[in-house]
Amino acid sequence: MRRFSPLAVSLPVLLTLAPAAWAVSPDVGVINPTGFQIGTEIEATFSGARLADAQELLFYSPGIEVTELKADSETVVKAKLKISPQCRLGIHAVRLRSATGISNLRTFTVGPLPEVPEQEPNNDFAAPQAVPFGCTVSGVVQNEDVDHFVVEAKKGERITAELEGIRLGYTFFDPYLAILNAERFELSRSDDAALLRQDCLCAVVAPADGKFIVQVRESAYGGNGSCRYRLHVGKFPRPTAVLPAGGRPSEVLAVRWLGDPAGEWTEQVTLPSTEDLTYGLFAKDANGICPSPNVIRVTDLPNAIETEPNDTTAQASAGAAPGALNGVIEKPGDVDFFKFAATQGQQYDIRVFARTPLRSPLDSVLVVHRANGAAMASNDDSGGPDAYLRFNAPANEDYFVQVYDHLRAGGPEFAYRVEIAPVKPALTMSLPEVEQYVPVVLSVPRGNRMALMVNAARSNWGGDLNVTLEGLPQGLAFQTVPMAADRTTVPVLFSAAADAPLDGTLTQVIGRPVDPNVPIVGQLEQRTMLVRGQNNIDVWGHTADRMAAAVTEAAPFEIEIVQPQAPIARQGSKQLKVVAKRKEGFAQPIALRLLYTPPGIGASGSITIPGDKNEGEIPLTANNNAALGNWPLIVVGTATVGNGGVEVASQMAQLAISDSYFSFAFDKAAGELNQETQMVVKVEKKIDFEGEATAELLGLPANTSVKPEPLKFTKDSTELVFPIKIDQSAKPGVYKTLVCRAVVTQSGEPVTHTLGTGELRVDEP
């Protein structure tokens, strides 16, 4: 990491760059098909806009190889993909990188079964589409569309149907799924399965040999071309819960699979060697593997599993602190108790994991009781949809954790995990959005700069922080400053070498405390809201752990800040000069904005360098509480290039913020019409300055005036006297709008103050 230092500024107004055919950032609307079978080679079509210069696909997870990528047009890219037999089943994310930008994020799924396309017409129950018993159907639900598929099964065979709809991330699709027998009796139906959010699953054991109909529609008989789905149909297992819902790294864990219509079973699984808070565990048996996982937590805590009955403190299952308590609210009205010991002064975070990330339907209530049975703390939803509380042991004794459902519901899928963990420092990095609901990506033109802000959320600690980026594209460097303990955001400037290859990577954004005694590392969490509900609620999306970054074709312009030589003073203003260097012939306007403003600084966001100019000024103002000190300053310039906007950044300049050089105290003034009076302003010096300053009285009411020449004063002056002439036509009254604009010249630049306020009373004769 390079720390901040002022950069030299050069001011040529033209540069020569090689011509480029600009398509700007690509946009991917649809991936077709919406999912692929593991261990196969397929051709996928990426449809959207500005795709003609496509160069690469950036996958967020391993197991997918691109063997060929070709743009057929501005709107279509075709890719030949090889899906590894070791590729993880489930949802994957991808972005498309072009020579001039990075696309939006799209998701697709990888499944275990061969792919079959839906074939219309299949709306008639009596004429369903026949599909193999063990396939994935890719289809679309149009308005009032009802799709039917028929499979044949033997008595006692498991029939499982799982549908991916909203999880494909295209639209607010609320699917409905049912399994019916040939006589049209419904054997199973599903609208919103808790395990699959708003998607569906049905699983039954065939009551007899015969044909069975799987029905797919939108729950309210709506639909459109964006209501895509992938329907997995087969004999594979589909448990809805697993117990315990977590274990320790590298542990060989005996798990019970619950909620499958063929009955529960036990399996030995080996957990990964590192902590994983959302580890996907896939159920499998001789009939196949489920297409999506049950999520568990891999953490370094010893497990305790409930032993029924444990409905009272006297029956409480044994637990430990720190430790993890695992159980199921297995029937309506069920209550589970665990016992653990703690010593006075010990502090723990006690958190229930159920809705998140297990996707359990449990609406947990958490209560902690003392040894005598008295409740000492309780919670319902402060941990998001799950319960959480911070526990402080008041004495050396046993304590009890009580868990139940808020509505006293229960069932075999109402699994939970309670973690009693020591209070630990935590750090999470994020990238604040520039455009609402659009996650930030980084595109840096060759030989140019771009900048972004990085946020840090500290928990259970405070202190200075260093931000680093690892895995940037070749030829791309970054510059930043330490994040002070009282700050949650910091600017980062990126520079691409003129000969940097056009390349893209998924880059880690990492935060580390400056204090080596705080051994934590913060990683990026970047949420993409793929489907938003009413009031823009996040219904379905993807959380990435890396930022997409790319070096792109050279841009036809650059910008630089003219480094300020004098500070901006509290209650003052300043003009920040920005110079554009244009490629010959490039005459588009360049809109300017500050990447961020230091605390207490205001800046105009509507400044533009006209197409026939090479300079612009951004007005800055400082309030009375502006943060003193030196602050890094970056300007971002945006211009239309080809068929889209291109952004570049200035160098990292420095803005010094000082206290006001002096304070003014206004005496009240009064005068009659057609007379003269005086406004006396007492001056108190706060900062030494050289030479003479000037002062002007502003804000006078209509038809009153002062001499146009500013008053001059020095650091030793104690008073300013402004003679005021009141015209006969002035309106009598009390005016509290007078201010004094005072300017000190430092290093050849004005340091402007606007101080007030004064009062003038205009009287009748």
Side-chain angles (χ1 to χ4, degrees), residues 329 351-355 360-367 379-388 402-407 414-418:
I329 303 299
R351 190 182 299 272
V352 178
F353 296 95
R355 297 282 182 93
S360 167
L362 175 67
D363 184 2
S364 60
V365 177
L366 172 67
V367 185
N379 182 256
D380 183 1
D381 291 331
S382 72
D386 294 320
Y388 159 80
Q402 178 188 11
V403 180
Y404 60 92
D405 183 79
H406 180 71
L407 298 178
F414 280 63
Y416 63 85
R417 177 178 173 90
V418 180

Side-chain angles (χ1 to χ4, degrees), residues 458-504:
R458 303 171 180 87
S459 179
N460 302 319
W461 73 283
D464 293 350
L465 184 69
N466 287 328
V467 174
T468 60
L469 292 100
E470 297 180 2
L472 284 166
Q474 183 181 347
L476 194 59
F478 75 95
Q479 176 187 359
T480 186
V481 295
M483 185 186 297
D486 61 347
R487 300 290 294 164
T488 60
T489 187
V490 71
V492 183
L493 179 70
F494 300 87
S495 302
D499 59 351
L502 300 183
D503 189 19

Side-chain angles (χ1 to χ4, degrees), residues 685 689 713-719:
K685 183 195 67 177
F689 59 92
F713 65 103
T714 70
K715 64 181 181 180
D716 299 319
S717 300
T718 59
E719 185 178 87

Side-chain angles (χ1 to χ4, degrees), residues 693-704:
T694 61
E696 299 174 87
L697 188 63
L698 307 176
L700 288 165
N703 299 311
T704 64

Side-chain angles (χ1 to χ4, degrees), residues 12-15 17 448-450 555-560 578-594 604-618 635-641 644-650:
V13 296
L14 289 178
L15 73 155
L17 299 174
N448 217 314
R449 296 173 293 245
M450 189 50 200
F557 69 101
E558 298 177 22
I559 60 171
E560 288 191 356
V578 180
V579 175
K581 299 185 289 185
R582 301 174 180 270
K583 174 188 171 183
E584 189 172 0
F586 181 72
Q588 290 293 325
I590 303 171
L592 304 177
R593 64 175 174 87
L594 281 178
S604 173
S606 58
I607 302 302
T608 297
I609 299 177
D612 59 347
K613 303 292 183 183
N614 295 308
E615 294 182 0
E617 290 186 334
I618 301 176
V635 172
V636 175
T638 306
T640 299
V641 181
V646 172
E647 287 189 321
V648 303
S650 71

